[in-house]
Amino acid sequence: MDLDAVRTFVAAADAGQFQEAAAMLAVTQQAVSKRIAALERSLGVRLFTRTPRGAQLTIDGQAFLPHARDLLRVADRAVASVHTGRRPLRVDVINSRGAATGLMRGFHRAHPEIDLDVVMLLDGVETAVAAIRSGAIDASFRAVAMPGRPLPEDIESVRVLDEPLQLLTGPAHALAGARSVTVAQLAGHRIWMPGIVPGTEWGAYYDDLVAEFGLTIESTGPNFGSDALLDTVADTPALATFMSERTRLVWPAGHGLRRIPVTDPTPVYPHSLLWHRDNPHPALATLRAHLAATAAGHDAAGTWAPDWVTPR
């Protein structure tokens, strides 16, 4: 159905005269008549009758009018959905319980007037880059890139958060009573992380952590999610896991789990925001400014991150 003809029909119905409808639409009266005639042929009914006072809706025209208005509203919403600045800002946070989700919640509290679509792309940075380049998302939180594989030239990035790692143990673990542990103290202890996916940026991060400090990180076994991981760590004295400081998890009180800071140096997971350099969405600039203000003043002294991540 020709939406211009439908829009012309609604304008004529509201104006009551083809001449006034033509003025409203900035077209000629002849164009209005042709559009209405084409719509009537398409529908197989008469929509107007001519009278000395103008154009009056027929019974069929009266029946069609509310549906015509609905058609135009749907069409306008469809156009608005792809107009930058009028559609929600789409941001990938990888998972719902991590630091990136917390950062976006803070942004939403600071800017409730900005519409957001928060998505979770669980694969590596290449998936996020492809989604950014296709326009499926506007931005993504990542550890930037894999070593030896820099980001494409059209993708920008900025470091927004260095998140300390903590050791998570059950109550019977040898380090459970410590107020903090050094990286050196972790040598020889089994750290189980079934969520590590080979070929991802977080997989590369933990590979470098193992190589740098001689740690034992195991990713064997199926990944049944955080609840299964917490159950296993709570029940197995020989196992511990790394947990990012801002990861939000809840477990039964009977688990007796301990979150222990790691020091000398503190391993930090480097979160960066990625976006396309030509993305004109106005809310993207607002998000970047908010994250820059949030990150300002954070002291990175005494921390460790792999050499291949982009410095702050």
Side-chain angles (χ1 to χ4, degrees):
M1 186 172 293
D2 185 347
L3 287 177
D4 284 338
V6 175
R7 200 174 299 277
T8 301
F9 162 74
V10 171
D14 290 342
Q17 293 183 347
F18 283 12
Q19 184 176 359
E20 189 174 340
M24 292 168 56
L25 297 171
V27 298
T28 66
Q29 184 174 343
Q30 183 181 19
V32 169
S33 297
K34 287 184 176 180
R35 290 178 185 178
I36 296 296
L39 184 60
E40 288 177 331
R41 286 195 300 271
S42 173
L43 295 173
V45 298
R46 290 286 300 278
L47 298 173
F48 290 99
T49 58
R50 297 292 189 101
T51 71
R53 295 184 178 182
Q56 291 186 348
L57 289 170
T58 64
I59 293 177
D60 290 323
Q62 294 174 24
F64 182 62
L65 181 59
H67 301 291
R69 295 190 194 280
D70 287 342
L71 279 172
L72 296 180
R73 279 193 289 266
V74 170
D76 290 342
R77 285 199 299 269
V79 172
S81 72
V82 295
H83 277 188
T84 299
R86 301 175 70 180
R87 63 165 174 78
L89 183 71
R90 303 180 186 122
V91 182
D92 162 42
V93 297
I94 305 181
N95 66 74
S96 63
R97 297 183 177 183
T101 299
L103 291 174
M104 289 307 299
R105 290 178 66 189
F107 175 69
H108 180 61
R109 286 193 295 267
H111 298 278
E113 75 284 0
I114 294 178
D115 289 334
L116 292 174
D117 275 345
V118 176
V119 302
M120 285 165 274
L121 304 178
L122 300 179
D123 293 326
V125 67
E126 290 86 356
T127 297
V129 168
I132 291 171
R133 299 178 94 176
S134 71
I137 59 174
D138 295 297
S140 176
F141 288 91
R142 296 284 157 167
V144 181
M146 295 285 288
R149 280 189 266 170
L151 292 172
E153 292 185 358
D154 57 342
I155 302 297
E156 301 279 359
S157 70
V158 63
R159 189 97 150 256
V160 296
L161 176 66
D162 286 346
E163 184 184 15
L165 295 186
Q166 296 178 334
L167 188 72
L168 186 75
T169 76
H173 192 275
L175 299 174
R179 299 185 62 179
S180 65
V181 295
T182 66
V183 177
Q185 286 178 289
L186 298 180
H189 290 279
R190 295 172 60 199
I191 300 171
W192 187 49
M193 301 189 69
I196 294 178
V197 179
T200 60
E201 68 272 20
W202 61 88
Y205 172 89
Y206 286 108
D207 286 345
D208 273 27
L209 185 63
V210 166
E212 182 76 15
F213 298 107
L215 304 183
T216 302
I217 295 181
E218 303 173 5
S219 58
T220 56
N223 179 16
F224 290 114
S226 59
D227 289 342
L229 173 65
L230 297 177
D231 291 345
T232 303
V233 169
D235 294 338
T236 311
L239 291 182
T241 192
F242 278 130
M243 189 70 61
S244 297
E245 183 181 68
R246 298 195 183 192
T247 298
R248 297 169 61 88
L249 292 175
V250 177
W251 53 78
H255 275 21
L257 293 169
R258 313 284 201 272
R259 296 182 74 145
I260 306 169
V262 180
T263 62
D264 298 326
T266 297
V268 294
Y269 192 84
H271 299 274
S272 290
L273 185 75
L274 279 61
W275 71 95
H276 196 283
R277 65 172 53 179
D278 295 329
N279 187 321
H281 199 301
L284 180 57
T286 307
L287 173 60
R288 289 166 53 196
H290 172 83
L291 294 174
T294 301
H298 287 186
D299 185 6
T303 63
W304 175 90
D307 294 337
W308 48 267
V309 298
T310 303
R312 191 189 297 274

